Amino acid sequence: MDGPVCGPNVWAKCVGQMCGAVHVRGGCTLAVVAGTICFCVRYFHEFCSVTNLRLVSLVLGLVWFGNTLAEEVSLGRIERPVYSADANGAFEALVSRGYTPLFNGKDLAGWRNPYSHGEAEVVDGEIHLLADKKFFLVTEKKYSDFRVSVEIHLPEGPANSGVMFRCHVDEDAVKKVYGYQAECDGSDRRWSGGFFDESRRGWIWPSTKGRSEDQFLKHSEESKQAFAEPRVRDALNRNGWNRYEVTCVKDVIRIEVNGVETVRFRDATDACGYIGIQHHGEKGQTYRFRNLFIKELPSVPAEDHVSLTPQEPVAIKRVNDKVTLIDFGKAAFGNIVMPIPSGRGSGSVHFGEKLKDGRIDRNPPGTVRYGTTPIRRGGQLGNWIVPTPVDARNVAQAGLMNANPPAVLTPAMWGSVMPFRWVEIEGLDADYPYELIRRRAAYSSTWNDNASHFECSNETLNRIWELCKYSIKATTFAGVYVDGDRERIPYEADAYLNQLSHYTTDDDVKMASRTFDWLMENGTWPTEWAPHMVFMAHAEWMYSGDDQWLKQRYESLKSKTLLDRSAGDGLVRSSELDQKRTDIVDWPQKERDKYVFTEVNTVVNAFHIKAMTQMAEMAHAVGKDDDAAVFEKRVELARESFQKTLFDEDAGIYRDGVGTDHSSIHANFFPLAFGLVPADKMDGVRSWLNKQDMRCSVYAAQYFMDALFNNGSDQKAIALMVADADRSWKHMVDSGTTISWEAWDMKYKPNQDWNHAWGAAPANLLPRYVLGAQPSAPGWATATIRPCPGDLKHARGRVPTPRGPIEIDWKQVASKFKLSLELPGDMRANVEIPAAEGTTGVLVDGKPVEATKQNGRWILKEQISGTATVESK
C-alpha cells in the first residue's frame, strides 16, 4: 500500500474514541458494534492521510471480516460454558450434585504451602496466589479415586497454571511438589487441559520432543493433532473463569476444560495423592481460584435411594428328588434369603430369567441371565443371604480404554444382585421349608404402585401398559437409570426414554435429575446421545418447574448441542469417523432401515436443531436472553438449510442426507417428531409414514410414535403397538417376558438383554397421548389435555404430576366424544378433543362453550380447572 499506514496503536485509538469496543486478530484492530464494524472515518483520515483507492478494497474486506468475527463471538457464547464473576451459583450447583468443598471460602483450612516462598490469601471467596517463583498450594488430605472441580482465572500476560492431582510432596527436595497435573496454558500454544507430569516425566498428552519420555513420544503427532482440533484448542477462556474437572478412577484419568474432554489416558504411576493449585512464578501476577470441590468415588446412589423388598414365592414345584423350582412371578433385580439348611453336604442355587422345558434354561440365548451360587449345609443358625454370581462388567470401574464409564455399583451390604424370576434349589431335601425363601428385590424407595393407572378397550394395550410400567419399576434398582444388566451404566438416550416413563408411572421422581447429573460427569460416545442431555434437562424443568435447578446446570448444557460441529449454513457435519462409528441413527445397526450415512446427516441435524430450540427456551427461563436470541437465530438458519438441503421435493419426503436419494423412515419421523416439517410439507411426510411398518428399534420407536400421535395419526400408532408382527410390543408381551427387552426379538439383536427400560416406551406413550396429559408450562402449572383415541372405544387412567394426579376417563361412541377430567387444585388445562364429522360444538358440564375446530379437533378457548366433563355435540 502506498502512502503512510496507521500503526496498530493509532488505529486502536481512533476506533476506540468512536466505538469503544476494540478486537484484535491477526495484527488488525477492529471495532465491532452490534455485530458490524465501526469505521471512524474522521480519525482515520486525521491519523493516516490515506488517499489511495486501494483502501476501499481493504475496508470492504474488513467489513466482511468484522461480520464474520461478530458471528464467531456470538456462537462462542452459546457453544461452550461461560462462567460469570459471581461464584455463588456454581457453588450451589456443585453442592446440589453431591460435591464436597475443598475450600470453605473463608480461610485456607485444609490447605498448606510446603515452600518457604509464595503467598496464598483468601479474597472475596477466592484463593489468590502471589509469588516470584513457582510454587504449589496443596491439600492436607490425600485422595485416591475422585472427581475434582476447580475454577481458574489466569492473570493477563504470560501465565501458566494447573490443577495437581494424586500428587506428592517431598519436603527435602527443591522441587517439593511433583506428579500429575492438568495444564492451564495461557500461551499461544493452547495446550490447556493437557496431561503433564510435574518434575518427573514431563508431557504425557500431548507429548513433544525434549519435554516427554520416549514412551509418550510414540503418540506425539496424534496428541498434538488432538489439541489442534478447534473444540479442544479453544476450550480455555483466556480472559475469564475456566472450570477444570479431573476424574481419576483406578488407572483411568480424564481431564475436562469447560465441559470439553481434553484427555482420557491410562496411567498407573500414582493411585493416591494430594490435590494442588499452581502459581507459575511470574512476579506481580495474581492467580485466582474458586469453587474447589471434590466428589470421592465410587458413588453408590442405591445406598440412599433404593430399598430391598422381601417377596414370597408365587409357586413352588418339586422337580425331582434333588431339585425344587421356585417362581417369583416377575423378574426383578435382587438375590434371596433362605433358612440355613441343617445336616451336612452342599447344594446350589440357580438363578434365571428364562425357562426351557419346565426348568431354568442354563444355557440361555444372548445375554439372557443365568447364574449359580454354591451353598453348604449346617454350621450356623438363622438365615443366609445367597448372593447372585458377579458379572465383572457390572462392577467394572475402569473398563476398556475409550469404552465405558464406571459401572453403577449397588451397596456392598446387599451382596451381589442380578435380574431373575426363577430359582432352582439343588441338593436339599423335600422337607426343607422352601416356602420361607424370600427374594430381596431392589426398587426405588419412593416407588408408589398406586401413583398411575391405565386401562382401555383394547386388552392387548392393557397388557402392554402393565409390562412397561413394571419395567420402569424393576429398573430403578441402581438409584439412577442404567441400561438394565448390560454394563449397568446410564446412556443418555436410554435415560431420557426411562425418564419420560418414570414421570408417567410414579409420583416421586428424583431419579431423573440424579441421572442427569451422573451423565454430565460420565457421558458416552454416540453423536445423538449428547443432545439427549438437553432433552433430559428440558423434560426435568417442564416436570418440576425448578428454575434454580435449571439455572445451575444451564451453562454445562452448551457443550451438548453439537454446535461445535456446525458450519456456516447452520448444519452439523459428520467426519468419516462419525459416519462409521458415532452417528447412531438407530441401534442396533440392523434396525436403521438401510440408512445411508453422509457428511450432512438428516437425523443428526434434526437432533441438533431440536436441542438448540430447547436451549433457547431454557435460556429465556434462566434470564439469558442474549443467549436465547443467538440460539433462535441459529435455529432459524439451520431450519432453512435443513429444508433446502435435505428435503426431496419430487418425492415429498426427506432423504437420509446430502449425496444420497435414499429415504429411510428415520429421516422422516425424527423431523416430524421434532416439529421441523413445514406446514405445507406435513401431509406428504405424514401420509408416507402412515404407509410404513415399524422398521426401527424399540429406541427409535419412541420418536416414531411421537411423530404419529402428535400429527393426527394416532390410529396408525396404536395399530403398530399391537400389531401381530415381531416388531411390536404385542410380540413382547406374548413372549411371556415381565420386563421389556432391549430389542424387538433375538433375531434383531442376538445378544440383547431382557431387562432394558428403553423398550418400555408405552409407559409414557399411553398416558401422554391416549389419555392425553402433558405439561404445557414448567412444573405442570398448566397442562394440555389432548386425547388421541385412534379406534379405541374408551380409556381411563391416572397420570401423576408434582401437583397431584390427573384423573382422565373418556369414551367415544359413534361421532360423540366425552371426556371426564379431574385436575389437581392449582392446575389449569388447555383442552382439545377429537372432532368427528358432524359434530357442531363442545359442551362443558352440559353448557356450550367457545371452541375452534382445527385439524380434526375441537380446541377450547378457555382453560379448565378442577373437575369437568367435556363432550362434543
Side-chain angles (χ1 to χ4, degrees):
M1 180 181 295
D2 296 331
V5 178
C6 293
N9 292 334
V10 174
W11 182 232
K13 178 180 177 182
C14 73
V15 171
Q17 285 177 341
M18 291 292 287
C19 305
V22 179
H23 297 266
V24 179
R25 182 174 291 195
C28 297
T29 309
L30 310 171
V32 180
V33 179
T36 62
I37 281 194
C38 174
F39 286 97
C40 308
V41 178
R42 178 167 64 87
Y43 287 93
F44 186 78
H45 282 288
E46 179 182 336
F47 284 94
C48 304
S49 301
V50 175
T51 58
N52 196 303
L53 290 177
R54 285 187 229 170
L55 182 62
V56 175
S57 297
L58 173 62
V59 170
L60 291 174
L62 289 175
V63 171
W64 172 86
F65 181 81
N67 283 325
T68 301
L69 178 58
E71 178 70 7
E72 289 178 1
V73 171
S74 295
L75 290 182
R77 186 168 69 240
I78 64 170
E79 68 180 354
R80 59 179 176 269
V82 177
Y83 299 106
S84 69
D86 179 13
N88 293 333
F91 187 94
E92 294 168 359
L94 287 161
V95 170
S96 75
R97 289 163 51 194
Y99 283 77
T100 300
L102 287 169
F103 166 53
N104 62 23
K106 300 176 182 178
D107 55 44
L108 295 174
W111 293 82
R112 68 187 182 100
N113 178 4
Y115 298 83
S116 59
H117 62 272
E119 180 183 351
E121 59 182 5
V122 177
V123 179
D124 296 330
E126 300 173 5
I127 297 177
H128 287 192
L129 300 185
L130 302 92
D132 54 9
K133 292 190 293 185
K134 181 163 69 173
F135 86 103
F136 298 89
L137 192 70
V138 297
T139 57
E140 294 176 348
K141 179 182 175 181
K142 291 183 176 182
Y143 299 92
S144 181
D145 287 0
F146 54 81
R147 183 175 174 89
V148 67
S149 181
V150 177
E151 290 180 24
I152 304 175
H153 196 301
L154 294 176
E156 295 181 0
N160 182 286
S161 185
V163 178
M164 302 293 292
F165 56 97
R166 287 183 178 172
C167 69
H168 308 282
V169 177
D170 184 346
E171 303 286 357
D172 299 325
V174 175
K175 297 181 178 179
K176 297 181 182 297
V177 177
Y178 65 94
Y180 294 154
Q181 183 185 67
E183 182 79 4
C184 186
D185 182 4
S187 74
D188 291 339
R189 181 182 56 184
R190 298 190 184 188
W191 282 4
S192 287
F195 184 20
F196 186 72
D197 196 352
E198 172 73 29
S199 299
R200 198 164 53 180
R201 294 173 297 169
W203 281 102
I204 295 176
W205 184 279
S207 56
T208 188
K209 192 172 182 179
R211 300 289 307 279
S212 303
E213 293 188 350
D214 288 347
Q215 61 172 317
F216 304 126
L217 290 177
K218 293 178 181 179
H219 59 238
S220 178
E221 289 306 312
E222 177 189 356
S223 61
K224 288 177 181 176
Q225 287 175 9
F227 272 78
E229 288 292 325
R231 179 173 168 82
V232 175
R233 181 195 67 203
D234 299 332
L236 186 79
N237 177 11
R238 178 59 183 85
N239 298 309
W241 286 100
N242 298 275
R243 179 173 295 172
Y244 272 67
E245 293 175 309
V246 180
T247 306
C248 295
V249 178
K250 307 301 181 185
D251 65 336
V252 175
I253 295 165
R254 291 173 51 220
I255 300 172
E256 298 160 82
V257 180
N258 294 329
V260 176
E261 183 175 282
T262 57
V263 169
R264 182 181 173 95
F265 202 86
R266 297 191 91 110
D267 191 88
T269 302
D270 295 312
C272 183
Y274 302 105
I275 307 298
I277 52 179
Q278 177 190 18
H279 190 296
H280 197 252
E282 295 84 2
K283 187 175 182 179
Q285 297 280 51
T286 300
Y287 287 78
R288 300 162 62 190
F289 303 85
R290 70 181 191 189
N291 288 330
L292 294 88
F293 280 85
I294 197 164
K295 179 187 290 184
E296 296 192 70
L297 302 175
S299 176
V300 185
E303 288 181 341
D304 299 318
H305 305 291
V306 179
S307 301
L308 295 177
T309 301
Q311 296 177 326
E312 298 180 8
V314 299
I316 301 172
K317 178 182 179 182
R318 186 70 172 172
V319 176
N320 55 43
D321 61 351
K322 293 184 178 180
V323 176
T324 298
L325 176 69
I326 298 176
D327 180 8
F328 288 97
K330 293 181 178 180
F333 285 80
N335 50 39
I336 65 169
V337 60
M338 59 186 292
I340 298 173
S342 59
R344 306 185 65 178
S346 61
S348 57
V349 177
H350 301 266
F351 302 87
E353 285 185 295
K354 180 178 180 294
L355 287 187
K356 183 178 181 180
D357 300 327
R359 298 284 302 276
I360 290 178
D361 190 342
R362 299 188 182 185
N363 187 29
T367 49
V368 176
R369 296 301 180 266
Y370 163 75
T372 184
T373 300
I375 57 174
R376 295 189 63 83
R377 293 172 176 263
Q380 303 175 62
L381 298 175
N383 295 319
W384 274 340
I385 294 172
V386 182
T388 64
V390 176
D391 186 334
R393 67 181 178 172
N394 290 341
V395 295
Q397 297 298 287
L400 296 175
M401 186 61 192
N402 294 325
N404 293 341
V408 181
L409 302 179
T410 51
M413 64 179 294
W414 287 6
S416 56
V417 299
M418 68 177 276
F420 67 93
R421 174 176 171 176
W422 292 277
V423 295
E424 285 181 356
I425 311 297
E426 187 172 17
L428 300 186
D429 300 330
D431 61 354
Y432 176 82
Y434 296 101
E435 71 278 3
L436 297 181
I437 294 175
R438 298 290 182 268
R439 179 174 66 185
R440 306 193 310 160
Y443 304 121
S444 168
S445 299
T446 58
W447 182 271
N448 178 6
D449 278 322
N450 296 319
S452 61
H453 176 69
F454 175 86
E455 61 177 300
C456 69
S457 55
N458 186 307
E459 185 53 36
T460 298
L461 216 52
N462 295 337
R463 292 168 60 210
I464 290 171
W465 160 258
E466 293 296 337
L467 166 68
C468 294
K469 176 181 175 178
Y470 179 73
S471 299
I472 301 303
K473 176 182 178 179
T475 53
T476 59
F477 73 97
V480 292
Y481 305 138
V482 296
D483 63 334
D485 204 40
R486 176 161 297 284
E487 297 97 1
R488 291 197 192 171
I489 65 173
Y491 283 97
E492 293 86 340
D494 307 47
Y496 175 62
L497 270 59
N498 204 329
Q499 172 187 20
L500 293 180
S501 293
H502 199 175
Y503 288 156
T504 55
T505 52
D506 198 5
D507 58 4
D508 187 354
V509 185
K510 304 294 192 304
M511 198 171 290
S513 60
R514 198 159 55 240
T515 306
F516 173 88
D517 287 340
W518 184 286
L519 277 165
M520 289 302 292
E521 298 172 4
N522 299 281
T524 64
W525 54 270
T527 295
E528 297 98 307
W529 276 207
H532 273 95
M533 293 304 295
V534 179
F535 296 1
M536 286 191 74
H538 188 269
E540 172 63 18
W541 172 58
M542 290 298 291
Y543 174 80
S544 68
D546 190 341
D547 290 348
Q548 184 65 16
W549 180 91
L550 181 61
K551 187 174 184 179
Q552 291 171 347
R553 288 154 179 82
Y554 165 79
E555 289 293 338
S556 64
L557 281 170
K558 290 179 177 179
S559 63
K560 301 297 184 179
T561 65
L562 308 179
L563 190 59
D564 61 294
R565 281 173 50 179
S566 67
D569 60 359
L571 297 181
V572 169
R573 266 52 180 183
S574 295
S575 68
E576 289 187 13
L577 178 61
D578 293 323
Q579 294 172 49
K580 291 178 180 178
R581 180 176 185 268
T582 60
D583 292 356
I584 287 292
V585 173
D586 205 345
W587 194 264
Q589 298 97 319
K590 292 180 181 179
E591 298 287 57
R592 291 171 175 164
D593 193 25
K594 300 180 181 179
Y595 194 92
V596 177
F597 288 83
T598 62
E599 183 183 15
V600 179
N601 174 320
T602 301
V603 170
V604 165
N605 276 285
F607 272 94
H608 171 56
I609 297 170
K610 181 64 173 178
M612 289 198 301
T613 302
Q614 291 189 344
M615 285 298 293
E617 187 179 348
M618 292 188 288
H620 280 305
V622 300
K624 303 276 188 176
D625 292 338
D626 289 344
D627 282 7
V630 181
F631 274 122
E632 288 163 354
K633 182 178 178 182
R634 195 68 179 179
V635 166
E636 182 180 1
L637 171 66
R639 286 182 71 118
E640 182 178 357
S641 298
F642 187 88
Q643 191 63 27
K644 287 181 178 178
T645 306
L646 298 167
F647 191 75
D648 185 336
E649 292 287 351
D650 293 334
I653 55 177
Y654 292 90
R655 55 176 71 92
D656 294 347
V658 173
T660 179
D661 290 327
H662 185 262
S663 294
S664 64
I665 62 170
H666 302 73
N668 288 276
F669 66 65
F670 278 113
L672 188 60
F674 294 159
L676 304 182
V677 183
D680 63 330
K681 309 297 183 186
M682 185 79 71
D683 287 345
V685 173
R686 182 175 54 197
S687 174
W688 185 81
L689 285 172
N690 277 336
K691 299 173 185 176
Q692 310 308 313
D693 295 326
M694 188 86 82
R695 296 197 305 275
C696 62
S697 75
V698 293
Y699 148 69
Q702 170 78 57
Y703 296 102
F704 191 11
M705 299 298 101
D706 282 339
L708 295 173
F709 275 121
N710 275 325
N711 293 282
S713 296
D714 33 301
Q715 188 166 339
K716 171 69 174 180
I718 293 171
L720 287 171
M721 295 169 74
V722 300
D724 289 327
D726 54 18
R727 284 194 182 101
S728 77
W729 283 280
K730 179 179 184 294
H731 175 66
M732 227 182 266
V733 295
D734 285 348
S735 75
T737 186
T738 58
I739 303 179
S740 55
W741 292 345
E742 184 184 6
W744 294 121
D745 192 81
M746 300 299 289
K747 71 181 182 182
Y748 298 115
K749 194 174 192 296
N751 68 335
Q752 72 151 315
D753 282 348
W754 278 17
N755 45 69
H756 208 296
W758 86 342
N764 74 77
L765 295 170
L766 297 176
R768 291 170 61 227
Y769 295 117
V770 175
L771 294 179
Q774 298 194 50
S776 51
W780 285 87
T782 306
T784 294
I785 307 298
R786 182 182 177 272
C788 299
D791 58 0
L792 299 175
K793 301 303 180 186
H794 66 80
R796 67 178 65 90
R798 182 181 310 112
V799 181
T801 82
R803 296 172 182 266
I806 299 174
E807 300 282 351
I808 295 173
D809 188 342
W810 60 253
K811 299 178 178 66
Q812 62 175 356
V813 180
S815 61
K816 296 291 184 69
F817 189 92
K818 184 176 182 180
L819 168 70
S820 296
L821 178 65
E822 185 177 341
L823 299 169
D826 57 349
M827 183 187 295
R828 300 186 68 84
N830 301 303
V831 177
E832 54 180 273
I833 61 173
E837 187 175 349
T839 56
T840 59
V842 177
L843 303 175
V844 174
D845 295 332
K847 298 178 181 180
V849 296
E850 189 173 348
T852 302
K853 192 173 184 180
Q854 183 178 333
N855 296 325
R857 307 188 72 84
W858 286 109
I859 302 173
L860 277 64
K861 180 180 179 181
E862 300 294 333
Q863 293 181 332
I864 286 178
S865 61
T867 301
T869 299
V870 183
E871 56 187 317
S872 59
K873 63 175 183 177

